[in-house]
Every structure is written in structure tokens, then in C-alpha cells.
Amino acid sequence: MSPPVAPPGWSRWLVPPAALSVHLSIGQAYAWSVFKPPLESALGLSGTQSALPFQLGIVMLGLSAAFGGTLVERNGPRWAMTVALLCFSSGFLLSALGASLEQYWLIVLGYGFVGGIGLGIGYISPVSTLIKWFPDRPGTATGIAIMGFGGGALIASPWSARMLESFGSESSGIALAFLVHGLSYAVFMLLGVLLVRVPRTEKPVESGPSVLAGPQVSARQAIRTPQFWLLWIVLCMNVTAGIGILEKAAPMITDFFADTSTPVSVTAAAGFVALLSAANMAGRIGWSSTSDLIGRKNIYRVYLGVGAVMYALIALFGDSSKPLFVLCALVILSFYGGGFATVPAYLKDLFGTYQVGAIHGRLLTAWSTAGVLGPLIVNWIADRQEEAGRHGASLYGLSFVIMIGLLVVGFVANELVRPVDPRHHVPAPKEAARVERQQSESA
């Protein structure tokens, strides 16, 4: 499938909606916590076990983005969005079969493995194209699209809760909810497949900057630089801190206030997940746009430094004030989303637009690591504390201290980022094309 080239007069503002149709769909992953309690009850799972499909999905997101990044660059966004549609929807259909048969391994295979591949390819499918369409505002452009991934749960969380109420929270009801998700998202993602285009020239904006302006580094060279691995640490630490709350959001807020005079209902917990999704989404466009004004390093100082303060406030005072708990969690999730939306522009600043999609795909292995690390820290510690007879907010105190430490590590890594040494640069556009041909032939 050759990349569809925009005809003369094509508006670049049609590309973000195409990206949004894919990202809003695959962003359902952030609503997984709504399915955790029903699955635990229907199939007799622990909190750690019920997190496995989500964790595997994030692992496969990073791995498929890393290994598929070069293919996405070569075949274009329409090919990538088609692959994402097929894998993501098929994952839900397999999960529906697994829930119907009460075979949990099929849910893990479908949602986690197959659906996770759709997550990864779908996530990176529009990034390089958006940066090429918007070389003058890369943070804003990627933020507009990637906010859809954060906002997916804003739709999916109440929608999933309502379906479970209507269909029932036993295995057959869960299966039907999965089936509806799979079919609905297939139709919605198809809109992006049909709408997306790539620019005809390297200057999509008249009198605007060239997409090849500044230093250009190939994906192969990028992973040999300290800048890549420092950003890997920055992203991993920021994602771990955010995903630790997000994956267990519904049961976490219920536990925090279970022993108070105003416990949190199931419906209110689902609403909290939706609020987190809104903060995640708003952070992706708000903070990434701000990074165009104050710079990428400065915005990551905010994400990591202020994020550590928010975690400390929850650990110390969260169980005594619902507004404080919710506010701090919303800020953390806005930083979590902002980190995702800002990192493509950070990569563009350091490595240029040449193969930035492939570099971004490789960097998302940090997300794979964080997708295991964050839920594992929170769920494993909570399970152990519960076995020891603790309950309420005490289930999470130790894990929050660990999150603060990880954010400090990310803050230090961000401070160490410097411009890429010129020896890693591709000399010129013509030379870049020659290097790309040689790499393709040797692949």
C-alpha cells in the first residue's frame, strides 16, 4: 500500500482528525481498570492477574512500535492505520471469545498480544506524518493527535461501565461488551484510514521551515547516542509514575476512602477514571503546546519535579481529603499525557525529522517497560499489604514512595540531555536518501 499523497490545495488540518480517529479508539486501553473488578469476580482473579492483559498490551505496544517503526516510515500512515485496525479489533473479538468460554488466557492473548500490536502500530502511525505537515508547530500538532489516546478512556470508561450494567458483569456480559467494542472501533478507525494523506513537498506550509532543516540523524545512529537513552529513562520514569495510578484507578480511589464516612461507589470510581482520562487528554495538547513556547527540557522539569511533589501530597494527605486526592491525581495524569505528546517534538529537536517515526517507535520500548513496572509495583505491593492485614490507603504508601524516587531519577536524566554530536548527523538530504536506500537493501 503506497502512502496517499495529498492533492493540491489539501488542508493540513484534515490530518489531525484522521489521527484522532485512530488514537481515540486505541486509547480505550486506559479504561481497562473498569473491567478489572468484573473479571476478578467472574473468573476468580487477583489484582495482579487481572492487570496482565493491560500490561502485555503495553509491552506489545512498545515492541511493535520499535520493530514496526521503520515499516511505518516506509509504507506510510494508511498502511499502518489499516494494520492497527485489524489487530486492535481482532484483539477484542478474541477477548470476547475468551470471556464467553471463561478462558482467561484467550483474553490475555487477544487484548494483550494481538490488540497490543494494534496499539503500537496505531500509536506511531500518524506521528511522523504530523511532524512533516506541521514543521512550524510540532508540539501542538502531535499533541492534538496524541491527546486522542489519552482521551479514549473518557469515552470508553463510562461506555464500558454502562454496558456492564446492561449486559451484566458475569462472563457472558463481559464477552458482549468486548464484542461491541471490537466492532465499533473497527468502523471508527476506518475513517482515519480513508482520510489520512502525506504532504506533496517537504515544505507543506508556504514560506514555512523545511522538514529537513537542522540536524538529521538516522534511527540506526540515534540509538547509539546518549541522548536517546537519557530520553528513554525520562519517558520510562514519567510513564511508570502515571500508569501506576491509571491502571488501578477505580479500585484505588475506592480503597483510599473505604474506611471513611463517604465511601466511593462503583459509579463514582468509573467517573474518576473518566476524569483522569480528561486530564490525560488535556495534558497532551496543553503541555505539548506549552513546550513549543518554553522548550522541551523545561516542560519535562515540570512533569518530573512537580509530579514528585503531587505523589508526596497524596502519600501524606490523600486519604484525608477527596478533593486533594483527585486534584493531585489529575495533575499527575496531565503530566503523564503531556510527556507522551511532547516526546516526538523532543526527538525532532534532537534528531530531526528524518526517520523520526522510527526513532519514536524505538523509544516506546520505554513505555513497554513502564507498562510492566508501574502496575507491577502498585498491584504487587497492594496484594502483599492486603495479605498482611492492611487496608485502605496503607495498601499504597510504599508504592507511592517508590514512584517519587523514579521521578527524581527521570528529572536527573533530563538535566543530562545535550545536543547530539555532529558525528551522528546525516550530512545532507541527498546523502540521507542514499543512506536510507543502503539501509533498506541491507535490511
Side-chain angles (χ1 to χ4, degrees):
M1 183 181 293
S2 60
V5 178
W10 180 267
S11 172
R12 63 177 179 165
W13 291 103
L14 292 173
V15 180
L20 273 172
S21 72
V22 173
H23 275 236
L24 279 170
S25 299
I26 62 177
Q28 184 281 335
Y30 285 142
W32 177 252
S33 65
V34 175
F35 284 102
K36 281 171 64 70
L39 282 170
E40 290 168 16
S41 176
L43 302 181
L45 306 172
S46 68
T48 302
Q49 289 173 324
S50 68
L52 185 57
F54 176 82
Q55 288 177 291
L56 181 58
I58 299 301
V59 169
M60 293 310 301
L61 184 157
L63 293 178
S64 61
F67 289 104
T70 302
L71 287 174
V72 171
E73 289 281 291
R74 185 180 305 158
N75 297 328
R78 177 169 289 177
W79 174 88
M81 290 180 178
T82 301
V83 171
L85 184 160
L86 294 173
C87 291
F88 189 65
S89 296
S90 296
F92 267 113
L93 299 182
L94 274 174
S95 297
L97 179 63
S100 178
L101 299 176
E102 297 188 0
Q103 296 294 317
Y104 186 58
W105 68 271
L106 268 176
I107 299 177
V108 175
L109 174 67
Y111 191 93
F113 185 80
V114 179
I117 294 173
L119 286 177
I121 300 299
Y123 189 86
I124 64 172
S125 61
V127 170
S128 176
T129 302
L130 283 165
I131 290 177
K132 290 172 182 175
W133 274 110
F134 294 86
D136 51 332
R137 285 180 282 181
T140 301
T142 54
I144 289 172
I146 292 176
M147 75 174 181
F149 194 88
L154 188 62
I155 300 169
S157 179
W159 183 33
S160 299
R162 182 62 61 86
M163 281 196 288
L164 290 171
E165 288 176 7
S166 301
F167 302 151
S169 57
E170 67 281 355
S171 57
S172 60
I174 297 170
L176 190 52
F178 283 152
L179 177 63
V180 173
H181 274 309
L183 297 177
S184 300
Y185 286 133
V187 174
F188 195 57
M189 293 172 76
L190 184 61
L191 297 176
V193 173
L194 298 176
L195 189 60
V196 73
R197 299 287 189 278
V198 296
R200 298 178 66 84
T201 68
E202 70 168 64
K203 277 193 171 186
V205 184
E206 188 174 352
S207 301
S210 166
V211 297
L212 291 176
Q216 304 294 324
V217 182
S218 70
R220 183 174 295 182
Q221 282 296 317
I223 62 173
R224 299 174 182 174
T225 65
Q227 287 81 359
F228 177 89
W229 294 106
L230 287 170
L231 277 188
W232 193 98
I233 293 171
V234 167
L235 184 63
C236 184
M237 299 300 100
N238 193 55
V239 173
T240 300
I243 214 168
I245 287 181
L246 190 59
E247 187 274 335
K248 202 175 174 66
M252 181 182 290
I253 192 171
T254 302
D255 289 337
F256 251 79
F257 299 98
D259 299 329
T260 69
S261 58
T262 55
V264 176
S265 67
V266 174
T267 303
F272 175 62
V273 175
L275 275 178
L276 291 181
S277 178
N280 189 353
M281 180 174 63
R284 289 172 188 245
I285 181 60
W287 295 121
S288 62
S289 297
T290 303
S291 78
D292 284 337
L293 301 175
I294 69 172
R296 321 304 171 196
K297 178 174 282 193
N298 285 333
I299 203 69
Y300 272 96
R301 286 169 173 153
V302 174
Y303 297 157
L304 299 159
V306 179
V309 173
M310 294 297 103
Y311 254 115
L313 288 174
I314 294 177
L316 293 172
F317 310 110
D319 60 340
S320 61
S321 172
K322 278 184 187 176
L324 178 66
F325 178 92
V326 172
L327 178 62
C328 290
L330 292 177
V331 172
I332 291 170
L333 263 294
S334 77
F335 293 160
Y336 170 82
F340 279 120
T342 308
V343 82
Y346 210 160
L347 291 172
K348 180 258 183 187
D349 293 346
L350 290 170
F351 302 110
T353 57
Y354 175 67
Q355 294 195 336
V356 68
I359 298 170
H360 185 223
R362 286 159 172 77
L363 190 74
L364 290 182
T365 54
W367 193 356
S368 294
T369 304
V372 173
L373 193 60
L376 183 62
I377 291 171
V378 175
N379 284 290
W380 188 84
I381 291 176
D383 287 346
R384 300 291 82 75
Q385 298 283 44
E386 191 172 12
E387 289 173 2
R390 295 183 176 87
H391 52 84
S394 61
L395 297 175
Y396 304 98
L398 177 58
S399 60
F400 284 3
V401 171
I402 293 173
M403 295 301 179
I404 293 170
L406 294 178
L407 286 168
V408 171
V409 170
F411 188 94
V412 173
N414 182 54
E415 293 300 306
L416 297 175
V417 174
R418 298 290 185 272
V420 176
D421 192 293
R423 64 191 175 91
H424 296 291
H425 296 177
V426 174
K430 289 184 179 179
E431 179 67 12
R434 185 184 66 79
V435 171
E436 186 176 32
R437 284 196 303 271
Q438 289 177 347
Q439 290 178 352
S440 298
E441 291 169 359
S442 63

